[in-house]
Amino acid sequence: MNEHILSLINALADNHSLSLEQYAELIEARTPETAALLAQKAVAARKAIYGNDVYVRGLIEISNICKNDCLYCGIRRSNKNCDRYRLTKEQITDCAAEGYRLGFRTFVLQGGEDPYYTDNVLCDIVSELKSIYPDCAVTLSMGERSRESYELLRRSGADRYLLRHETADMAHYESLHPNDMSFENRMRCLRDLRDLGYQVGCGFMVGSPNQTSNTLAKDLKFIEEFKPDMCGIGPFVPHKDTPFRDHPPGTVELTCYLLSIIRLIHPPVLLPATTALGTIHPEGREMGIKAGANVVMPNLSPVSVRKKYELYDNKICTGEESAQCKDCLSARMESVGYHIVTARGDVRCQK
């Protein structure tokens, strides 16, 4: 291995920081050898904090109705082929009850930016879940909202919020989103969430259109400076009904490489091995765990709607019952030497 690249990897492992130029260099230097060394160091950093535990989150996809028209997304507003649905409060609490019975102690409510979910409606759902399951964490992934909205949801009991920043490069952001969305507002949302005391998750797609080593370097520097509690990255997977339908997907190799780097940047981060990883490779989620990830998200949504929440093509696990999803993931994690833990799984301080 090039001595200079080796020195960069060691510096990252020791200091959890590189310059923008050095991050770009490290991305450009990806080989099986550099990937293996980064993964080795990432796994050691994760094990020092979390051992062999992999946390599971119960994912409830509450609506595929979205007011936005992001160019990469299968549930974008202008996709007329999307079979729309929205879960009622009762359906959501039924999903949570099933999840609780299976041992889940974190519920992730994810959806498009559906105007139906006003502050009153969403706060009512969150407070209901927290009153029934006070020992559980409620995570929201409901897009951009006002600071006041985030504050009301926090007061209602929401513990965590996932909002992918998508890219830390403004021009790249603008190439992925319609004119009525702004990079500044996305960053404002993340700052507000942090200020309000949420455990905050950001993240990006790997291999998205117009992405370069330099834009990825900006993502890594942003993660270094923001220090998210959670960071969701997964490969870009095209959807047939979007303007990026013909763009090649991201790769499992680069995604895992970046997972390892992110673990070394911020060792305590909760880092999912995403469904998208499992979609582009049959062992993608296992590969993510072996690269430094430590979270998986089985689907608790009603089977009747899972195929409809199609952000990208060929999404896996759309026909499985909740128990099947959990048991399948448990077996997959055991096969690579890890075990799933159904505790709340809060972010830990570095030892």
Side-chain angles (χ1 to χ4, degrees), residues 60 73 136 175 204-205 225 238 324:
I60 306 173
C73 185
C136 294
S175 76
F204 57 90
M205 296 175 293
E225 293 169 351
Q324 287 176 277

Side-chain angles (χ1 to χ4, degrees), residues 84-127:
R84 306 289 177 175
Y85 76 91
R86 173 189 296 136
L87 299 187
T88 64
K89 177 182 171 183
E90 290 69 32
Q91 286 176 303
I92 293 166
T93 53
D94 285 349
C95 292
E98 169 72 356
Y100 195 87
R101 186 184 67 76
L102 292 169
F104 292 92
R105 295 299 180 264
T106 286
F107 304 119
V108 181
L109 274 53
Q110 178 176 300
E113 290 192 23
D114 182 346
Y116 169 80
Y117 292 105
T118 62
D119 293 342
N120 286 342
V121 170
L122 203 48
C123 285
D124 182 48
I125 293 167
V126 171
S127 58

Side-chain angles (χ1 to χ4, degrees), residues 137-210:
V138 172
T139 301
L140 298 176
S141 182
M142 299 294 293
E144 297 179 354
R145 300 174 79 94
S146 69
R147 183 186 178 94
E148 294 72 27
S149 175
Y150 290 144
E151 188 167 9
L152 289 168
L153 290 164
R154 182 84 180 104
R155 284 186 199 158
S156 297
D159 301 280
R160 307 176 185 140
Y161 205 101
L162 307 176
L163 181 66
R164 285 188 169 186
H165 66 281
E166 300 297 1
T167 172
D169 180 277
M170 185 183 294
H172 186 211
Y173 184 93
E174 290 171 353
S175 76
L176 300 174
H177 297 87
N179 292 336
D180 58 355
M181 296 180 72
S182 78
F183 176 78
E184 294 90 344
N185 192 54
R186 183 62 57 100
M187 291 298 172
R188 186 272 306 165
C189 289
L190 286 166
R191 289 193 301 271
D192 285 347
L193 290 163
R194 169 62 55 78
D195 289 347
L196 292 167
Y198 284 90
Q199 292 179 44
V200 185
C202 63
F204 57 90
M205 296 175 293
V206 178
S208 63
N210 307 307

